[in-house]
Amino acid sequence: MSRYRAQQQTPVDEPEANPHGEDHVPDDEREDENDKDSQPSEPKGDYLNVASRPFLMKILQKQGDGKVLFADKVLKFTASGKMKRRNLIITDFAVYIVDPETDGLKRRIALAAVDKMCLSDLNDNFFSIIIPTEYDLLMASTRKTEIATCLFEAIKTSAQYELEVSFSSSFEYNATADLVKEVQFEEVEGGVRTRILMKK
């Protein structure tokens, strides 16, 4: 599928050059996000209590959004493999990526632009949101299953199509408009080993 960068309506995380062909994900970063069950039995949805955070409400109201379906802290991976803490918010119209340190909106993606969601079939926290008209998102969350369910239901309701959700031991994503990476998962003693490889 051809990729091109669509005209941006909001600021985005700038892709960074990647001098290496492989990114290793440090164990301590994964463990830092792994203090909660990855598949909660009673999904809460808004784990950030968005209504109590004026700067988040201002961002949503400016875009005409008000109904929060999911909100939580995640780790986002840049094109160079660096990990950045972000707030992920899903409404009935869009996906928001917000910098929790600056309270700034980094990216807004209309639900109708989301084509697919990729997850590994092992017990890890990684997932990718595929956006054909832009570049994709690679993130990690202990609530990846709840995020997938929320996105599926939101897109089915608002955009009136069913989101493809794919589970596998590896998947590709566009880290930038021109850079494809592959995420590989391998079950090892004590957990899952994750590797991020540059494809081209």
Side-chain angles (χ1 to χ4, degrees):
M1 180 180 293
S2 61
R3 300 286 179 137
Y4 61 90
R5 185 180 299 278
Q7 182 177 358
Q8 300 293 331
Q9 297 180 344
T10 57
V12 300
D13 283 329
E14 290 298 327
E16 302 175 38
N18 183 7
H20 307 293
E22 177 176 334
D23 301 321
H24 292 280
V25 182
D27 290 336
D28 57 345
E29 287 291 347
R30 287 201 298 267
E31 291 170 358
D32 184 62
E33 290 290 311
N34 199 28
D35 57 352
K36 296 170 287 189
D37 189 285
S38 61
Q39 299 183 25
S41 56
E42 297 182 2
K44 177 181 177 183
D46 183 2
Y47 298 91
L48 297 177
N49 194 8
V50 172
S52 70
R53 300 177 181 237
F55 71 93
L56 290 179
M57 289 301 298
K58 184 177 180 180
I59 289 173
L60 297 181
Q61 290 168 358
K62 186 176 181 180
Q63 299 293 334
D65 264 342
K67 186 176 181 181
V68 176
L69 305 177
F70 180 89
D72 198 11
K73 299 175 182 177
V74 298
L75 286 178
K76 176 190 172 294
F77 292 77
T78 67
S80 63
K82 294 181 180 178
M83 289 168 278
K84 295 186 177 182
R85 297 185 185 281
R86 293 289 184 255
N87 289 336
L88 170 67
I89 302 173
I90 301 172
T91 71
D92 50 349
F93 290 110
V95 175
Y96 292 81
I97 305 296
V98 179
D99 187 335
E101 295 183 2
T102 65
D103 296 343
L105 175 62
K106 305 301 291 185
R107 193 172 178 189
R108 180 184 186 273
I109 304 155
L111 291 182
V114 178
D115 180 65
K116 182 179 180 181
M117 188 167 178
C118 298
L119 306 89
S120 84
D121 50 10
L122 299 177
N123 186 25
D124 63 86
N125 302 327
F126 289 84
F127 66 94
S128 181
I129 298 176
I130 309 300
I131 308 109
T133 55
E134 304 176 28
Y135 61 92
D136 305 327
L137 285 170
L138 177 64
M139 296 183 284
S141 169
T142 56
R143 296 190 171 100
K144 70 174 185 179
T145 303
E146 185 178 348
I147 292 170
T149 302
C150 179
L151 263 182
F152 182 89
E153 294 297 335
I155 289 173
K156 186 177 181 180
T157 300
S158 66
Q160 298 183 341
Y161 70 92
E162 290 194 356
L163 174 69
E164 180 183 353
V165 180
S166 174
F167 293 85
S168 65
S169 59
S170 67
F171 57 76
E172 293 183 0
Y173 76 101
N174 278 56
T176 69
D178 303 311
L179 176 64
V180 179
K181 287 191 171 186
E182 181 179 9
V183 188
Q184 298 179 347
F185 306 94
E186 179 184 3
E187 197 164 10
V188 296
E189 185 177 355
V192 178
R193 176 182 296 155
T194 304
R195 293 192 303 167
I196 303 174
L197 308 173
M198 186 165 61
K199 296 290 286 185
K200 64 178 181 179

